[in-house]
Amino acid sequence: MEGVVNSFLVTFSLLALASMLASASDPSSLQDFCLTLNGTNHNVFVNGNFCKDPKLVTADDFFSGLDNAGNTSNAVGSRVTTTVNADQILGLDKLGISLVRIDYAPNGGLTPHTHPRATEVLVVTKGKLYVDFVTSNPDNHLFAKVRREEVFVFLVCLIHFQFNIGNTDAVAFAGLSSQNPGVATIGSSVWV
Ligand SMILES: *[C@@H]1O[C@H](CO)[C@@H](O)[C@H](O)[C@H]1NC(C)=O
Ligand SMILES: *[C@@H]1O[C@H](CO)[C@@H](O)[C@H](O)[C@H]1NC(C)=O
């Protein structure tokens, strides 16, 4: 009898372990929010960041402005403003989203790049943009559109770019499905 119980316990433990491994993912949050403690030196690390005391959290921890136009006086004629991410809005920590504003001068654009960890939804709010992404090998199919006050989706990891084909400045806002989407610019990556 004891042998049967033992083998049952071993089987049950193995099944429990297998199911834990199969469902491995980011842990769910056990509270409404867990804001990163900023600028504190600790000698130990947790899986993520230490949380700010909820009693000390204020509305400003959930706020950042994106109303200022970025300075597009540079070689590519565009500027990405990244003030809506977990580094700036502590309340976004561990929630897997971020938002950027992109300003484009006439003839300005963002050169071909990818985001290794995020799909992007781009909303054009001013001006006229040529937008595209290219699928992976072997098809390398180009999906392109001219967008004016409309939305375009760039799928995770795929190479994409935008170009202002209007006579005026253009503005777009892009939501990304990661708090740290990363960016790999093809030119800088290939011609290092
Ligand atoms: C924009 O950037 C250019 C080049 O760095 C600089 O000369 C200019 O003063 C900046 N304009 C503003 C409004 O900050
Ligand atoms: C976090 O700390 C850094 C360095 O002190 C500071 O520059 C940054 O503005 C802080 N971020 C927030 C959201 O308070």
Side-chain angles (χ1 to χ4, degrees):
M1 185 64 192
E2 196 179 318
V4 173
V5 171
N6 280 345
S7 70
F8 172 77
L9 285 177
V10 168
T11 309
F12 181 79
S13 305
L14 286 175
L15 283 174
L17 183 64
S19 99
M20 275 167 62
L21 292 174
S23 64
S25 68
D26 286 352
S28 303
S29 189
L30 295 176
Q31 57 248 331
D32 282 353
F33 49 74
C34 165
L35 277 60
T36 303
L37 260 182
N38 192 23
T40 311
N41 289 322
H42 295 284
N43 290 325
V44 292
F45 296 87
V46 292
N47 183 19
N49 294 305
F50 287 95
C51 301
K52 186 172 178 178
D53 183 343
K55 290 193 277 303
L56 303 178
V57 170
T58 68
D60 283 344
D61 288 321
F62 302 94
F63 169 83
S64 177
L66 261 188
D67 47 337
N68 292 330
N71 186 341
T72 57
S73 300
N74 54 54
V76 289
S78 68
R79 175 76 61 183
V80 180
T81 306
T82 58
T83 53
V84 182
N85 59 34
D87 292 335
Q88 305 295 325
I89 301 185
L90 302 183
L92 282 178
D93 192 43
K94 303 173 189 70
L95 296 184
I97 55 168
S98 53
L99 183 77
V100 300
R101 169 185 174 134
I102 312 158
D103 289 273
Y104 311 82
N107 298 320
L110 288 185
T111 58
H113 62 278
T114 75
H115 302 292
R117 291 175 290 278
T119 287
E120 172 178 345
V121 180
L122 183 95
V123 188
V124 183
T125 57
K126 182 181 168 196
K128 189 160 69 165
L129 290 183
Y130 177 87
V131 295
D132 85 62
F133 73 86
V134 186
T135 63
S136 53
N137 298 351
D139 296 339
N140 302 123
H141 186 77
L142 175 87
F143 291 94
K145 277 268 186 196
V146 172
R147 294 284 84 169
R148 192 197 281 270
E149 299 195 350
E150 281 173 318
V151 173
F152 201 80
V153 174
F154 303 102
L155 305 180
V156 61
C157 288
L158 296 185
I159 296 174
H160 57 279
F161 75 86
Q162 301 109 38
F163 184 64
N164 180 2
I165 55 171
N167 301 321
T168 62
D169 289 345
V171 181
F173 292 85
L176 297 128
S177 63
S178 167
Q179 79 177 50
N180 185 17
V183 57
T185 306
I186 307 308
S188 329
S189 307
V190 176
W191 290 285
V192 285

